[in-house]
Amino acid sequence: MPEIVLDNVSKKFGETVAADGLSLSIKDGEYVCILGPTGAGKTTCMRMICGLTQPDSGRVYLDGKDVTDDPVDTRNATMLTQSYALFPHMTVYDNVRFAPQIKGWAPEDIKQVVRSTLHMVHLEQKAEWMPAQLSGGQQQRIALARALASGSKVLLLDEPLRALDARLRINLRKELRTMAKQMGVTCIHVTHDQDEALAVADRIAIIRDGRIIQFGTPSEVFDDPATPFVATFVGRSNILTGKVVRSDGESTAIDVAGTVLLARPSPMEVGEEAVLAVKIGFTRISKKQEEIDAAYFTGTIDRVLYEGVTITVEINAGGLGLISSKLPNRKFDDYHAGDIVGVSWAPSKASVFRVPPEGLEKELKLE
Ligand SMILES: Nc1ncnc2c1ncn2[C@@H]1O[C@H](COP(=O)(O)OP(=O)(O)OP(=O)(O)O)[C@@H](O)[C@H]1O
Ligand SMILES: [Mg+2]
Protein backbone atom coordinates (compact mmCIF):
# COMPACT_ATOMS: atom_id res chain seq x y z
CA MET A 1 0.00 0.00 0.00
CA PRO A 2 1.98 2.99 -1.22
CA GLU A 3 0.96 5.72 1.13
CA ILE A 4 3.38 8.57 1.55
CA VAL A 5 4.02 10.34 4.84
CA LEU A 6 6.36 13.23 5.50
CA ASP A 7 6.60 13.87 9.22
CA ASN A 8 7.94 17.26 10.28
CA VAL A 9 10.66 17.28 7.66
CA SER A 10 13.16 20.14 7.43
CA LYS A 11 15.90 20.86 4.92
CA LYS A 12 18.24 23.81 4.60
CA PHE A 13 20.68 24.62 1.80
CA GLY A 14 23.09 27.01 3.50
CA GLU A 15 20.82 29.80 4.74
CA THR A 16 17.95 28.86 2.41
CA VAL A 17 15.11 26.99 4.07
CA ALA A 18 13.66 24.59 1.47
CA ALA A 19 11.52 22.57 3.90
CA ASP A 20 10.43 23.95 7.24
CA GLY A 21 8.78 21.34 9.43
CA LEU A 22 6.80 20.04 6.48
CA SER A 23 4.20 17.36 7.20
CA LEU A 24 2.09 15.69 4.55
CA SER A 25 0.14 12.46 4.51
CA ILE A 26 -0.98 11.03 1.18
CA LYS A 27 -3.30 8.07 0.90
CA ASP A 28 -2.78 4.91 -1.09
CA GLY A 29 -3.81 5.50 -4.72
CA GLU A 30 -4.38 9.19 -4.22
CA TYR A 31 -3.59 11.77 -6.93
CA VAL A 32 -2.17 14.85 -5.21
CA CYS A 33 -1.09 18.09 -6.83
CA ILE A 34 1.45 20.37 -5.21
CA LEU A 35 0.96 24.03 -6.05
CA GLY A 36 3.17 26.85 -4.89
CA PRO A 37 5.23 29.79 -6.03
CA THR A 38 8.70 29.31 -7.45
CA GLY A 39 11.29 28.44 -4.79
CA ALA A 40 8.57 27.27 -2.36
CA GLY A 41 10.19 23.86 -1.89
CA LYS A 42 8.08 21.69 -4.21
CA THR A 43 10.98 19.90 -5.91
CA THR A 44 12.78 19.49 -2.59
CA CYS A 45 9.67 17.85 -1.13
CA MET A 46 9.55 15.31 -3.98
CA ARG A 47 13.30 14.65 -3.84
CA MET A 48 13.03 13.83 -0.14
CA ILE A 49 10.25 11.32 -0.85
CA CYS A 50 12.24 9.41 -3.46
CA GLY A 51 15.55 9.73 -1.61
CA LEU A 52 17.47 12.12 -3.86
CA THR A 53 17.66 14.65 -1.01
CA GLN A 54 18.27 13.70 2.60
CA PRO A 55 16.28 15.80 5.12
CA ASP A 56 18.17 17.46 7.99
CA SER A 57 15.45 16.30 10.39
CA GLY A 58 12.06 14.61 10.32
CA ARG A 59 11.05 11.24 8.86
CA VAL A 60 9.82 9.94 5.52
CA TYR A 61 7.54 6.88 5.38
CA LEU A 62 6.45 4.86 2.35
CA ASP A 63 3.90 2.10 2.93
CA GLY A 64 4.21 2.65 6.65
CA LYS A 65 7.95 1.90 6.54
CA ASP A 66 10.49 4.48 7.66
CA VAL A 67 12.64 4.97 4.53
CA THR A 68 14.41 8.16 5.64
CA ASP A 69 17.81 6.50 5.57
CA ASP A 70 17.12 4.14 2.65
CA PRO A 71 18.82 4.67 -0.72
CA VAL A 72 16.89 5.80 -3.82
CA ASP A 73 16.81 2.44 -5.60
CA THR A 74 15.04 0.60 -2.77
CA ARG A 75 12.10 2.97 -2.45
CA ASN A 76 9.88 1.92 -5.38
CA ALA A 77 9.29 5.59 -6.20
CA THR A 78 9.99 7.09 -9.61
CA MET A 79 10.56 10.79 -10.06
CA LEU A 80 10.08 12.59 -13.35
CA THR A 81 12.38 15.57 -12.92
CA GLN A 82 11.87 19.07 -14.27
CA SER A 83 14.68 18.45 -16.80
CA TYR A 84 13.39 14.98 -17.90
CA ALA A 85 16.75 13.58 -19.14
CA LEU A 86 16.23 10.79 -21.69
CA PHE A 87 18.95 8.33 -22.71
CA PRO A 88 20.20 10.05 -25.89
CA HIS A 89 21.63 6.89 -27.50
CA MET A 90 18.42 4.87 -27.18
CA THR A 91 15.26 5.00 -29.28
CA VAL A 92 12.01 6.23 -27.78
CA TYR A 93 10.86 2.62 -27.44
CA ASP A 94 14.01 1.57 -25.62
CA ASN A 95 13.85 4.57 -23.31
CA VAL A 96 10.37 3.57 -22.21
CA ARG A 97 11.27 -0.15 -22.08
CA PHE A 98 14.32 0.46 -19.91
CA ALA A 99 12.87 0.15 -16.39
CA PRO A 100 10.49 -2.79 -16.96
CA GLN A 101 13.31 -4.63 -18.73
CA ILE A 102 15.70 -4.14 -15.82
CA LYS A 103 13.00 -5.40 -13.52
CA GLY A 104 12.86 -8.60 -15.57
CA TRP A 105 9.22 -8.40 -16.66
CA ALA A 106 7.93 -10.92 -19.21
CA PRO A 107 8.50 -9.69 -22.82
CA GLU A 108 4.77 -9.55 -23.61
CA ASP A 109 4.10 -7.48 -20.47
CA ILE A 110 6.89 -5.09 -21.42
CA LYS A 111 5.50 -4.72 -24.93
CA GLN A 112 2.03 -4.08 -23.61
CA VAL A 113 3.07 -1.43 -21.09
CA VAL A 114 5.37 0.37 -23.55
CA ARG A 115 2.65 0.44 -26.19
CA SER A 116 -0.05 1.67 -23.83
CA THR A 117 2.08 4.41 -22.29
CA LEU A 118 3.30 5.61 -25.71
CA HIS A 119 -0.31 5.57 -26.85
CA MET A 120 -1.30 7.69 -23.86
CA VAL A 121 1.20 10.39 -24.75
CA HIS A 122 0.19 10.17 -28.45
CA LEU A 123 3.66 9.14 -29.63
CA GLU A 124 3.37 5.50 -30.68
CA GLN A 125 4.40 6.51 -34.22
CA LYS A 126 7.69 7.84 -32.90
CA ALA A 127 8.76 4.61 -31.18
CA GLU A 128 11.84 4.12 -33.35
CA TRP A 129 13.00 7.75 -33.26
CA MET A 130 15.95 9.03 -31.24
CA PRO A 131 15.35 11.67 -28.52
CA ALA A 132 17.40 14.29 -30.40
CA GLN A 133 14.94 14.07 -33.32
CA LEU A 134 12.03 15.10 -31.09
CA SER A 135 10.79 18.52 -29.98
CA GLY A 136 11.04 19.55 -26.33
CA GLY A 137 7.38 18.79 -25.73
CA GLN A 138 7.69 15.37 -27.37
CA GLN A 139 10.73 14.55 -25.25
CA GLN A 140 8.78 15.53 -22.18
CA ARG A 141 5.96 13.18 -23.15
CA ILE A 142 8.47 10.33 -23.66
CA ALA A 143 9.90 11.00 -20.22
CA LEU A 144 6.37 10.85 -18.86
CA ALA A 145 5.72 7.54 -20.65
CA ARG A 146 8.98 6.20 -19.23
CA ALA A 147 7.98 7.19 -15.68
CA LEU A 148 4.53 5.60 -16.11
CA ALA A 149 6.05 2.40 -17.47
CA SER A 150 8.51 2.12 -14.60
CA GLY A 151 6.19 -0.08 -12.60
CA SER A 152 6.77 2.04 -9.48
CA LYS A 153 3.86 2.32 -7.14
CA VAL A 154 4.77 5.90 -6.29
CA LEU A 155 5.05 8.41 -9.13
CA LEU A 156 6.53 11.83 -8.47
CA LEU A 157 5.96 14.11 -11.46
CA ASP A 158 7.71 17.46 -11.34
CA GLU A 159 5.80 19.70 -13.77
CA PRO A 160 5.18 16.83 -16.21
CA LEU A 161 3.18 18.91 -18.71
CA ARG A 162 5.19 22.12 -18.56
CA ALA A 163 6.60 22.24 -22.09
CA LEU A 164 3.34 21.39 -23.85
CA ASP A 165 0.92 23.66 -25.63
CA ALA A 166 -2.42 24.44 -24.00
CA ARG A 167 -4.61 21.92 -25.83
CA LEU A 168 -2.24 18.99 -25.43
CA ARG A 169 -1.79 19.85 -21.75
CA ILE A 170 -5.53 19.69 -21.20
CA ASN A 171 -5.86 16.36 -23.03
CA LEU A 172 -2.87 14.78 -21.37
CA ARG A 173 -3.70 15.86 -17.84
CA LYS A 174 -6.98 13.95 -17.96
CA GLU A 175 -5.31 10.87 -19.40
CA LEU A 176 -2.52 11.09 -16.86
CA ARG A 177 -4.95 10.96 -13.99
CA THR A 178 -6.98 8.15 -15.60
CA MET A 179 -3.85 6.12 -16.22
CA ALA A 180 -2.51 6.66 -12.68
CA LYS A 181 -5.86 5.50 -11.30
CA GLN A 182 -5.96 2.44 -13.59
CA MET A 183 -2.45 1.46 -12.58
CA GLY A 184 -3.26 1.99 -8.91
CA VAL A 185 -0.25 4.22 -8.31
CA THR A 186 0.00 6.96 -5.73
CA CYS A 187 0.87 10.09 -7.62
CA ILE A 188 2.23 13.52 -6.71
CA HIS A 189 2.11 16.03 -9.53
CA VAL A 190 3.81 19.40 -9.13
CA THR A 191 2.42 22.19 -11.24
CA HIS A 192 2.39 25.97 -11.54
CA ASP A 193 -0.97 25.80 -13.26
CA GLN A 194 -3.85 26.12 -10.82
CA ASP A 195 -6.43 25.03 -13.40
CA GLU A 196 -4.44 21.85 -13.96
CA ALA A 197 -4.37 21.17 -10.21
CA LEU A 198 -8.08 21.90 -9.77
CA ALA A 199 -8.93 19.62 -12.71
CA VAL A 200 -6.88 16.51 -11.88
CA ALA A 201 -6.18 16.36 -8.16
CA ASP A 202 -7.99 14.39 -5.49
CA ARG A 203 -6.35 16.82 -3.10
CA ILE A 204 -4.14 19.87 -3.56
CA ALA A 205 -1.26 20.80 -1.25
CA ILE A 206 -0.38 24.49 -1.26
CA ILE A 207 3.24 24.91 -0.32
CA ARG A 208 5.04 28.13 0.53
CA ASP A 209 8.36 28.85 2.21
CA GLY A 210 8.88 25.12 2.78
CA ARG A 211 5.59 24.67 4.62
CA ILE A 212 2.17 23.28 3.71
CA ILE A 213 -0.31 26.13 3.96
CA GLN A 214 -3.38 24.09 3.05
CA PHE A 215 -4.07 20.51 2.01
CA GLY A 216 -7.58 19.83 0.78
CA THR A 217 -9.84 18.87 -2.10
CA PRO A 218 -9.95 21.27 -5.06
CA SER A 219 -13.26 22.71 -3.85
CA GLU A 220 -11.99 23.16 -0.29
CA VAL A 221 -8.91 25.01 -1.49
CA PHE A 222 -10.88 27.14 -3.96
CA ASP A 223 -14.03 27.85 -1.91
CA ASP A 224 -12.58 27.86 1.57
CA PRO A 225 -8.97 29.08 1.40
CA ALA A 226 -6.97 28.78 4.62
CA THR A 227 -5.15 32.09 4.21
CA PRO A 228 -5.39 35.29 2.14
CA PHE A 229 -2.43 33.97 0.12
CA VAL A 230 -4.33 30.83 -0.90
CA ALA A 231 -7.38 32.98 -1.72
CA THR A 232 -5.36 34.90 -4.29
CA PHE A 233 -3.06 32.08 -5.45
CA VAL A 234 -5.80 29.61 -6.41
CA GLY A 235 -8.29 31.66 -8.42
CA ARG A 236 -8.31 35.45 -8.20
CA SER A 237 -9.97 37.13 -5.23
CA ASN A 238 -10.93 40.66 -4.32
CA ILE A 239 -9.16 41.43 -1.04
CA LEU A 240 -10.48 44.10 1.35
CA THR A 241 -9.42 45.03 4.85
CA GLY A 242 -11.49 46.61 7.61
CA LYS A 243 -12.84 46.25 11.12
CA VAL A 244 -15.39 43.69 12.33
CA VAL A 245 -18.61 45.44 13.35
CA ARG A 246 -20.79 42.35 13.91
CA SER A 247 -20.02 38.68 14.17
CA ASP A 248 -22.71 36.06 14.67
CA GLY A 249 -23.86 32.66 13.46
CA GLU A 250 -25.12 34.13 10.21
CA SER A 251 -22.28 36.28 8.97
CA THR A 252 -19.34 38.49 9.79
CA ALA A 253 -19.92 42.16 9.02
CA ILE A 254 -16.83 44.19 8.24
CA ASP A 255 -16.59 47.95 7.90
CA VAL A 256 -14.26 48.73 5.02
CA ALA A 257 -13.69 52.45 4.49
CA GLY A 258 -17.17 53.24 5.85
CA THR A 259 -18.98 50.54 3.88
CA VAL A 260 -20.30 47.43 5.65
CA LEU A 261 -19.56 44.19 3.78
CA LEU A 262 -20.70 40.69 4.69
CA ALA A 263 -18.69 37.47 4.83
CA ARG A 264 -19.32 33.99 6.19
CA PRO A 265 -19.50 33.42 9.95
CA SER A 266 -16.12 33.41 11.70
CA PRO A 267 -14.68 33.34 15.20
CA MET A 268 -13.62 36.98 14.79
CA GLU A 269 -14.75 39.50 17.36
CA VAL A 270 -16.18 42.99 17.04
CA GLY A 271 -13.39 45.56 16.77
CA GLU A 272 -10.81 43.19 15.27
CA GLU A 273 -9.01 44.07 12.04
CA ALA A 274 -10.04 41.60 9.33
CA VAL A 275 -9.24 40.65 5.76
CA LEU A 276 -12.16 39.75 3.51
CA ALA A 277 -11.55 37.69 0.36
CA VAL A 278 -14.15 36.97 -2.30
CA LYS A 279 -13.40 35.20 -5.58
CA ILE A 280 -13.93 37.48 -8.55
CA GLY A 281 -16.24 34.83 -10.00
CA PHE A 282 -18.48 35.08 -6.89
CA THR A 283 -18.64 38.89 -7.08
CA ARG A 284 -22.00 39.93 -8.58
CA ILE A 285 -22.68 43.21 -10.32
CA SER A 286 -25.86 44.78 -11.64
CA LYS A 287 -27.07 47.92 -13.41
CA LYS A 288 -30.73 47.49 -12.36
CA GLN A 289 -31.83 50.19 -9.93
CA GLU A 290 -33.44 47.82 -7.40
CA GLU A 291 -30.27 45.69 -7.30
CA ILE A 292 -28.07 48.76 -7.03
CA ASP A 293 -30.19 49.80 -4.03
CA ALA A 294 -29.69 46.36 -2.42
CA ALA A 295 -25.97 46.11 -3.24
CA TYR A 296 -23.13 46.51 -0.74
CA PHE A 297 -21.74 49.46 -2.68
CA THR A 298 -21.65 51.03 -6.11
CA GLY A 299 -18.78 51.77 -8.44
CA THR A 300 -17.98 52.88 -11.95
CA ILE A 301 -16.79 50.39 -14.55
CA ASP A 302 -13.19 51.16 -15.41
CA ARG A 303 -12.78 48.56 -18.17
CA VAL A 304 -14.14 45.26 -19.45
CA LEU A 305 -11.66 42.53 -20.40
CA TYR A 306 -12.69 39.86 -22.91
CA GLU A 307 -11.26 36.42 -22.02
CA GLY A 308 -13.11 33.99 -24.27
CA VAL A 309 -15.55 32.03 -22.12
CA THR A 310 -15.54 34.74 -19.48
CA ILE A 311 -15.16 38.50 -19.16
CA THR A 312 -13.69 40.40 -16.24
CA VAL A 313 -15.25 43.74 -15.33
CA GLU A 314 -13.02 46.08 -13.34
CA ILE A 315 -14.91 48.51 -11.16
CA ASN A 316 -13.57 51.62 -9.53
CA ALA A 317 -15.23 51.59 -6.12
CA GLY A 318 -13.77 54.74 -4.59
CA GLY A 319 -12.33 54.11 -1.12
CA LEU A 320 -12.70 50.35 -1.62
CA GLY A 321 -10.27 50.40 -4.53
CA LEU A 322 -10.52 48.42 -7.73
CA ILE A 323 -12.95 45.49 -7.57
CA SER A 324 -13.12 42.78 -10.24
CA SER A 325 -16.07 40.66 -11.26
CA LYS A 326 -15.78 37.63 -13.55
CA LEU A 327 -18.88 36.94 -15.63
CA PRO A 328 -19.92 34.67 -18.51
CA ASN A 329 -19.05 36.23 -21.86
CA ARG A 330 -22.71 36.57 -22.89
CA LYS A 331 -22.69 39.58 -20.54
CA PHE A 332 -20.08 41.29 -22.70
CA ASP A 333 -22.58 43.62 -24.37
CA ASP A 334 -24.27 44.51 -21.05
CA TYR A 335 -21.36 46.33 -19.42
CA HIS A 336 -19.24 49.24 -20.63
CA ALA A 337 -16.64 51.57 -19.20
CA GLY A 338 -18.36 54.41 -17.34
CA ASP A 339 -21.48 52.41 -16.32
CA ILE A 340 -22.52 52.62 -12.67
CA VAL A 341 -23.04 49.19 -11.11
CA GLY A 342 -24.02 47.82 -7.72
CA VAL A 343 -21.63 45.20 -6.29
CA SER A 344 -22.52 42.39 -3.89
CA TRP A 345 -21.93 38.73 -3.12
CA ALA A 346 -23.49 35.97 -1.06
CA PRO A 347 -21.94 36.28 2.43
CA SER A 348 -21.27 32.51 2.38
CA LYS A 349 -18.93 33.03 -0.61
CA ALA A 350 -16.63 35.48 1.16
CA SER A 351 -13.88 34.29 3.51
CA VAL A 352 -12.63 36.30 6.45
CA PHE A 353 -9.17 36.15 8.02
CA ARG A 354 -7.21 37.81 10.77
CA VAL A 355 -4.64 40.26 9.44
CA PRO A 356 -1.43 38.21 9.02
CA PRO A 357 1.19 39.11 11.65
CA GLU A 358 3.76 40.08 9.00
CA GLY A 359 1.24 42.34 7.22
CA LEU A 360 -1.05 41.75 4.25
CA GLU A 361 1.33 42.99 1.59
CA LYS A 362 4.01 40.47 2.56
CA GLU A 363 1.39 37.72 2.85
CA LEU A 364 0.20 38.27 -0.72
CA LYS A 365 3.63 38.60 -2.32
CA LEU A 366 4.54 35.76 -4.65
CA GLU A 367 8.23 35.48 -3.83
N1 LIG B 1 20.85 21.84 -4.22
C1 LIG B 1 20.51 23.05 -3.79
N2 LIG B 1 21.47 23.90 -3.34
C2 LIG B 1 21.15 25.13 -2.87
N3 LIG B 1 19.88 25.60 -2.78
C3 LIG B 1 18.90 24.79 -3.20
C4 LIG B 1 19.15 23.49 -3.72
N4 LIG B 1 17.96 22.93 -4.05
C5 LIG B 1 17.01 23.85 -3.76
N5 LIG B 1 17.57 24.96 -3.24
C6 LIG B 1 16.83 26.16 -2.77
O1 LIG B 1 15.75 25.73 -1.96
C7 LIG B 1 14.56 26.48 -2.23
C8 LIG B 1 13.46 25.53 -2.68
O2 LIG B 1 13.83 24.99 -3.95
P1 LIG B 1 12.91 24.01 -4.79
O3 LIG B 1 13.67 23.61 -5.99
O4 LIG B 1 12.43 22.91 -3.91
O5 LIG B 1 11.69 24.98 -5.17
P2 LIG B 1 10.46 24.72 -6.14
O6 LIG B 1 9.23 25.00 -5.35
O7 LIG B 1 10.58 23.41 -6.80
O8 LIG B 1 10.64 25.91 -7.22
P3 LIG B 1 10.31 25.94 -8.81
O9 LIG B 1 8.82 26.17 -8.90
O10 LIG B 1 11.06 27.14 -9.28
O11 LIG B 1 10.75 24.67 -9.41
C9 LIG B 1 14.96 27.50 -3.29
O12 LIG B 1 15.23 28.71 -2.64
C10 LIG B 1 16.19 26.91 -3.93
O13 LIG B 1 17.04 27.92 -4.42
MG1 LIG C 1 10.87 22.84 -8.74
Side-chain angles (χ1 to χ4, degrees):
M1 285 225 303
E3 19 161 82
I4 304 168
V5 175
L6 291 175
D7 182 19
N8 199 19
V9 166
S10 291
K11 178 72 189 176
K12 267 184 161 184
F13 296 101
E15 287 304 297
T16 307
V17 180
D20 186 12
L22 192 149
S23 292
L24 186 64
S25 183
I26 295 173
K27 292 182 243 171
D28 176 29
E30 203 172 12
Y31 199 107
V32 167
C33 281
I34 298 187
L35 261 182
T38 182
K42 305 180 293 294
T43 297
T44 304
C45 171
M46 307 260 269
R47 289 175 61 90
M48 292 190 299
I49 294 169
C50 70
L52 288 166
T53 294
Q54 183 71 12
D56 299 333
S57 60
R59 308 308 294 173
V60 180
Y61 301 88
L62 291 178
D63 273 350
K65 178 174 177 283
D66 185 340
V67 296
T68 318
D69 302 312
D70 292 359
V72 179
D73 53 345
T74 61
R75 294 199 189 188
N76 201 12
T78 291
M79 176 149 170
L80 173 66
T81 62
Q82 275 173 296
S83 56
Y84 53 90
L86 296 171
F87 302 120
H89 58 288
M90 286 186 195
T91 62
V92 162
Y93 191 92
D94 288 343
N95 262 283
V96 180
R97 179 171 69 169
F98 187 74
Q101 193 162 35
I102 287 200
K103 289 187 176 163
W105 294 10
E108 55 274 25
D109 290 347
I110 296 181
K111 211 164 162 179
Q112 211 273 329
V113 76
V114 176
R115 292 238 167 274
S116 63
T117 51
L118 283 178
H119 176 73
M120 190 213 111
V121 298
H122 307 300
L123 284 174
E124 60 265 70
Q125 292 88 353
K126 299 270 191 274
E128 295 314 316
W129 291 40
M130 303 302 282
Q133 295 173 293
L134 303 173
S135 72
Q138 288 169 337
Q139 290 183 32
Q140 187 171 26
R141 281 141 69 194
I142 299 302
L144 182 57
R146 193 176 61 176
L148 287 167
S150 67
S152 293
K153 285 298 174 196
V154 171
L155 273 187
L156 306 167
L157 308 175
D158 203 349
E159 301 194 41
L161 309 175
R162 178 176 41 110
L164 309 178
D165 62 55
R167 220 180 77 193
L168 193 55
R169 270 182 93 107
I170 290 174
N171 283 338
L172 272 188
R173 73 189 189 196
K174 278 190 273 177
E175 292 172 37
L176 188 52
R177 179 190 157 91
T178 306
M179 191 133 180
K181 290 289 176 188
Q182 275 170 1
M183 297 191 313
V185 297
T186 307
C187 191
I188 306 185
H189 170 157
V190 170
T191 175
H192 272 108
D193 181 341
Q194 43 166 290
D195 292 332
E196 190 167 295
L198 290 168
V200 300
D202 292 318
R203 284 193 291 171
I204 299 174
I206 311 289
I207 185 168
R208 187 186 197 194
D209 296 334
R211 279 191 298 271
I212 304 289
I213 307 291
Q214 187 168 10
F215 188 33
T217 63
S219 70
E220 282 165 357
V221 170
F222 188 85
D223 293 334
D224 194 8
T227 65
F229 175 76
V230 177
T232 52
F233 192 69
V234 184
R236 275 182 63 202
S237 291
N238 291 305
I239 299 279
L240 295 146
T241 49
K243 216 179 244 304
V244 176
V245 290
R246 199 189 65 243
S247 182
D248 56 33
E250 247 158 55
S251 61
T252 310
I254 300 160
D255 181 325
V256 181
T259 300
V260 175
L261 307 175
L262 297 184
R264 62 180 63 140
S266 73
M268 301 217 37
E269 285 168 23
V270 172
E272 272 190 283
E273 290 285 332
V275 178
L276 180 151
V278 57
K279 286 270 149 47
I280 66 171
F282 296 147
T283 307
R284 297 191 300 241
I285 61 174
S286 177
K287 289 203 307 197
K288 290 196 194 119
Q289 193 54 49
E290 67 270 24
E291 289 181 35
I292 290 180
D293 293 343
Y296 293 155
F297 55 90
T298 57
T300 309
I301 293 181
D302 198 36
R303 54 179 186 161
V304 180
L305 306 168
Y306 187 81
E307 295 154 347
V309 181
T310 55
I311 59 170
T312 294
V313 182
E314 292 181 347
I315 302 130
N316 189 337
L320 298 172
L322 202 61
I323 301 290
S324 296
S325 174
K326 193 197 215 20
L327 304 169
N329 83 348
R330 64 186 148 77
K331 302 274 188 189
F332 187 57
D333 292 330
D334 297 354
Y335 295 106
H336 305 96
D339 290 350
I340 307 268
V341 289
V343 181
S344 62
W345 48 80
S348 62
K349 294 293 188 190
S351 308
V352 49
F353 308 100
R354 294 210 154 77
V355 177
E358 68 280 15
L360 188 59
E361 199 179 328
K362 183 136 189 275
E363 160 77 12
L364 298 181
K365 252 175 74 174
L366 270 180
E367 280 183 67

